[in-house]
Amino acid sequence: MSLLDGSIVNVAVPTLIHGIDASYDQVLWVIDGYLPVFSVLLITTGGWGTSSDTAGCT
């Protein structure tokens, strides 16, 4: 899922550059900050969802 999201964000780089009037380096900084946070939250919430699902099954 993170790989797919990273691919989508990288395809949108030219649109981001023109849309927010930023340089290529500035957009890369934003992407480099976004992808690790997204990955950590995806793993964490996936673990919470699995633990809460198995706790409810008796």
Side-chain angles (χ1 to χ4, degrees):
M1 185 64 120
S2 295
L3 181 63
L4 177 64
D5 190 59
S7 298
I8 293 169
V9 170
N10 283 323
V11 168
V13 166
T15 305
L16 288 171
I17 290 172
H18 295 296
I20 61 175
D21 196 30
S23 71
Y24 182 72
D25 291 333
Q26 291 171 328
V27 171
L28 287 182
W29 272 103
V30 171
I31 292 171
D32 288 343
Y34 167 74
L35 288 177
V37 170
F38 178 77
S39 299
V40 167
L41 290 174
L42 183 68
I43 293 169
T44 304
T45 55
W48 285 340
T50 301
S51 65
S52 66
D53 182 40
T54 56
C57 297
T58 54

